Amino acid sequence: MRNIWVLTKKELAIYFYSPLAYVIITAFLLLSGYFFYQFVAGIADATALRYVLEFIGFISLIISPMITMRLLAEEKKSGTLELLMTAPITETQVVVSKYISSLLFFIALIMPTVAYVILLIFWGKPDLGAIICGYLGLICLAGVFLSIGLFVSSFTSNQIVAVIITFVILLIGWVIGWAGEFFREQWWKDIFKYIGFFEHFDAFRKGLIDSRDFLYCFSLIIFFLFLTVRIVESRRWK
Amino acid sequence: MIQVENLTKKFGNVAAVDGVSFNVENREIVGFLGPNGAGKTTTMRVLTSYLAPTSGRAAVAGFDVVRNSLEARKRIGYLPESVPFYPEMRVREYLSFRAKLKAVPRKQRKQRLDEVMERCRVKDVEHKIIGHLSKGYRQRLGLAEAIIHNPPILILDEPTIGLDPAQIRQTRELIKELGQDKTVILSTHILPEVEMLCNRVIIIHQGKIAIMDTLNNLVKDQKIKLEITGNINDITETLKQLPGIKNISFTQQDLWYVVTIELSNNEDIRDIVYQKIVQNQWGIREFKTERTTLEEMFIRITTRE
């Protein structure tokens, strides 16, 4: 545990040493602020923040690959992975701490949007339960995105490649739920809906907390983290 | 301290290290030599658990590098070949991070950091960003990182590469100092460095050990060279009767002869040779001893196919 904490702190420090973090934060806040204004001014009812959250969910899909791209790719490229893996720490500790740091970075990224909620409380009567649920869903969803990004980052040493592959995988995951529409049978539709990210996120966004959605997120996260650990370990046997 | 048995590491079908066995005793400094691509770095990476052996086994301080890898790694200080760093971090911050990873107790950490930075002469840049440091500083920072947890074993992959002559000398002094209470494996291309630092030499060539011996044994072959004048038959006959002579040859330059006496053991017979010269009243204008250098040895081994 102590090692994970030490490693997580280092990862977070490195995030904020690079200009990329500030570019991501600025871009994210600009976009989400603009859409918040658009939706709230345009819809102006209790559900407005739903659409804002949906939009933030989509932005997360674009931003997550940028958050995770350097995590392992950079260590491999610069050779620091050798230093890391010859220190008395395990691959699991390295992967988990990188994952935690990316998730913490994401949470820090969306924190300022809480200001929108406060604004809404000030001016109207938003459904707070649904909003909290929506944020929870957003974090779960981003958790999945980041685990996939970390996984991709583990098998390349090129950050651009990592960001593109991750983005493609996430985009497919986002739209695959709609592929069910090509089938006549209901069970095909259900399968595709279950696989895709969107349906699960949509449930959260609407204020539904269903253990199946959590299970979906957690199992994907664990699955990808497990694969990542395996890939980092595999370098020893190549 | 280090046992390597029949170690083989293959990348695909190519064996980078092929059935290598050696032991390193406590507090020994062993020089690891070989041309580029001979398998030095691969061997070191197996010892530090970065790579796993294809077959054979290796143990560090009694811990198997595969089955007990964490325990083995705790006892090793490793300076990799390319000395990688996080360029955005600051020197002190980086060392502190590594000290925590290597479980240096919190109470000793500050003192240990200062001590190590002092010793490796990076104290004056402790607040600088690593990416801005010169190669010499980075190399020393790598060394500081390797010894931060005071490990009993040091594995140094080309520790003096990229340093200027003064820094090379200082680093060698440091390694020598460290070698007094640590076991050191040192790979290098600089042969005089090995002669200066190491008790024992392992020359590895094409993944196999070509030579493994103490430095004294390796460079014991002595030659005496004389420039002498007199009756050359008398001279060779007389000298041949001395003990420990392997071969005598000569070339003529006008009235002078250049006589080369090859000795078969380490016995010092220079005084006896001198006595003979004086007794026989031969003229002499040069008298010198030559040793086979490690360099000659290295070239001989690595260029034969």
Side-chain angles (χ1 to χ4, degrees):
Chain A
M1 267 323 275
R2 217 184 52 89
N3 282 341
I4 291 184
W5 175 232
V6 171
L7 286 164
T8 305
K9 272 201 302 190
K10 169 228 139 199
E11 291 299 335
L12 281 175
I14 288 186
Y15 266 126
F16 288 100
Y17 287 154
S18 87
L20 184 71
Y22 302 99
V23 173
I24 290 177
I25 291 173
T26 311
F28 175 79
L29 289 180
L30 273 176
L31 284 169
S32 61
Y34 173 73
F35 275 86
F36 172 73
Y37 171 77
Q38 281 289 310
F39 284 122
V40 171
I43 301 169
D45 72 9
T47 63
L49 209 63
R50 258 196 220 172
Y51 299 99
V52 180
L53 277 175
E54 180 182 339
F55 180 75
I56 293 180
F58 187 70
I59 299 264
S60 309
L61 187 142
I62 300 168
I63 280 177
S64 297
M66 298 177 199
I67 297 177
T68 53
M69 65 179 183
R70 49 148 273 282
L71 284 175
L72 279 157
E74 178 74 11
E75 301 257 14
K76 283 169 77 176
K77 190 171 188 179
S78 67
T80 44
L81 192 66
E82 185 170 356
L83 269 176
L84 216 47
M85 292 331 309
T86 53
I89 50 176
T90 63
E91 275 85 357
T92 311
Q93 286 170 341
V94 170
V95 169
V96 168
S97 58
K98 281 182 182 291
Y99 180 70
I100 292 175
S101 74
S102 71
L103 197 60
L104 288 178
F105 181 82
F106 179 80
I107 292 171
L109 183 71
I110 60 168
M111 273 325 262
T113 65
V114 173
Y116 309 154
V117 181
I118 294 168
L119 272 178
L120 287 183
I121 294 173
F122 205 66
W123 297 108
K125 283 198 182 63
D127 182 351
L128 274 185
I131 291 173
I132 291 169
C133 186
Y135 270 102
L136 205 61
L138 187 62
I139 290 169
C140 282
L141 188 76
V144 175
F145 293 171
L146 296 169
S147 69
I148 294 174
L150 183 58
F151 165 67
V152 174
S153 177
S154 72
F155 56 72
T156 173
S157 54
N158 184 322
Q159 297 188 27
I160 307 296
V161 170
V163 86
I164 292 171
I165 294 179
T166 311
F167 183 63
V168 169
I169 294 176
L170 294 185
L171 207 57
I172 291 173
W174 187 268
V175 299
I176 202 165
W178 302 326
E181 300 306 317
F182 296 124
F183 295 92
R184 200 163 294 161
E185 298 89 341
Q186 186 58 37
W187 58 276
W188 271 117
K189 291 185 187 177
D190 289 345
I191 285 178
F192 276 102
K193 268 190 181 169
Y194 186 77
I195 296 174
F197 304 135
F198 185 77
E199 206 60 29
H200 301 276
F201 177 54
D202 205 40
F204 282 115
R205 200 170 56 90
K206 286 174 182 149
L208 292 170
I209 293 189
D210 188 329
S211 54
R212 274 177 304 177
D213 297 322
F214 279 114
L215 190 68
Y216 170 84
C217 289
F218 281 125
S219 50
L220 276 181
I221 292 169
I222 300 293
F223 175 70
F224 281 109
L225 290 187
F226 173 78
L227 285 186
T228 311
V229 171
R230 281 293 134 128
I231 287 194
V232 178
E233 278 173 352
S234 75
R235 110 204 145 246
R236 304 183 63 197
W237 314 101
K238 261 177 197 153
Chain B
M1 281 306 257
I2 299 174
Q3 287 97 34
V4 175
E5 273 169 45
N6 228 342
L7 184 81
T8 299
K9 175 71 190 175
K10 286 183 178 170
F11 296 107
N13 283 326
V14 185
V17 177
D18 191 1
V20 163
S21 304
F22 63 90
N23 285 327
V24 181
E25 301 304 323
N26 197 7
R27 295 181 190 190
E28 214 181 358
I29 304 187
V30 170
F32 218 50
L33 296 179
N36 284 326
K40 299 180 303 255
T41 298
T42 306
T43 308
M44 291 181 153
R45 283 180 168 171
V46 171
L47 288 176
T48 53
S49 311
Y50 185 65
L51 297 174
T54 310
S55 66
R57 56 180 295 276
V60 172
F63 295 101
D64 189 280
V65 297
V66 178
R67 274 169 300 170
N68 239 328
S69 144
L70 287 185
E71 288 303 315
R73 279 186 254 170
K74 276 181 196 165
R75 288 161 179 82
I76 298 176
Y78 178 41
L79 177 72
E81 192 179 11
S82 54
V83 205
F85 289 114
Y86 301 106
E88 11 350 38
M89 284 178 113
R90 286 168 202 278
V91 169
R92 193 183 182 96
E93 174 192 30
Y94 171 73
L95 284 176
S96 165
F97 160 65
R98 295 295 297 185
K100 287 175 197 160
L101 273 194
K102 293 174 167 188
V104 177
R106 183 206 289 266
K107 278 179 190 155
Q108 298 167 21
R109 210 178 293 140
K110 188 182 175 307
Q111 187 205 343
R112 188 73 200 144
L113 280 177
D114 287 328
E115 195 183 310
V116 163
M117 281 193 287
E118 209 72 68
R119 219 169 169 189
C120 297
R121 300 176 313 279
V122 290
K123 183 88 174 125
D124 50 326
V125 293
E126 63 174 321
H127 299 301
K128 285 208 169 140
I129 290 170
I130 297 175
H132 296 168
L133 296 182
S134 68
K135 177 77 181 143
Y137 271 117
R138 286 189 210 189
Q139 196 75 26
R140 272 140 52 194
L141 177 58
L143 202 55
E145 192 280 320
I147 61 174
I148 188 92
H149 57 312
N150 201 12
I153 295 164
L154 282 179
I155 296 183
L156 309 174
D157 205 347
E158 305 197 8
T160 55
I161 202 166
L163 300 181
D164 68 39
Q167 293 169 336
I168 288 178
R169 181 171 293 182
Q170 289 165 339
T171 304
R172 283 179 190 158
E173 289 301 318
L174 180 63
I175 293 171
K176 204 160 198 173
E177 225 178 281
L178 291 168
Q180 284 168 3
D181 60 347
K182 291 183 198 309
T183 308
V184 182
I185 294 190
L186 169 100
S187 97
T188 179
H189 285 300
I190 308 166
L191 298 162
E193 191 161 292
V194 175
E195 289 172 337
M196 232 174 281
L197 291 172
C198 302
N199 322 107
R200 214 147 59 91
V201 178
I202 297 173
I203 299 183
I204 185 166
H205 182 48
Q206 292 174 343
K208 294 191 169 79
I209 289 182
I211 275 194
M212 173 162 58
D213 211 336
T214 60
L215 203 59
N216 283 339
N217 280 341
L218 280 180
V219 297
K220 72 181 173 188
D221 291 343
Q222 280 197 60
K223 284 178 197 164
I224 295 178
K225 248 187 187 161
L226 305 170
E227 275 186 44
I228 200 165
T229 179
N231 183 328
I232 189 64
N233 287 331
D234 278 0
I235 292 169
T236 51
E237 282 310 309
T238 315
L239 292 177
K240 257 180 195 157
Q241 279 151 28
L242 296 176
I245 304 283
K246 201 200 273 174
N247 190 28
I248 294 180
S249 56
F250 65 87
T251 54
Q252 191 173 7
Q253 291 175 356
D254 308 327
L255 284 173
W256 292 87
Y257 298 94
V258 180
V259 178
T260 307
I261 310 169
E262 286 176 50
L263 304 174
S264 60
N265 60 25
N266 227 354
E267 210 176 316
D268 194 347
I269 59 161
R270 284 174 296 182
D271 187 43
I272 308 174
V273 173
Y274 176 68
Q275 298 294 344
K276 288 285 171 203
I277 295 167
V278 175
Q279 275 169 25
N280 293 292
Q281 296 188 324
W282 298 321
I284 182 157
R285 65 178 186 190
E286 188 169 333
F287 188 126
K288 63 177 179 185
T289 50
E290 277 182 354
R291 281 170 173 272
T292 317
T293 61
L294 198 55
E295 189 167 330
E296 287 171 49
M297 184 92 65
F298 180 84
I299 299 290
R300 203 179 337 149
I301 290 162
T302 55
T303 51
R304 70 162 183 232
E305 287 307 321

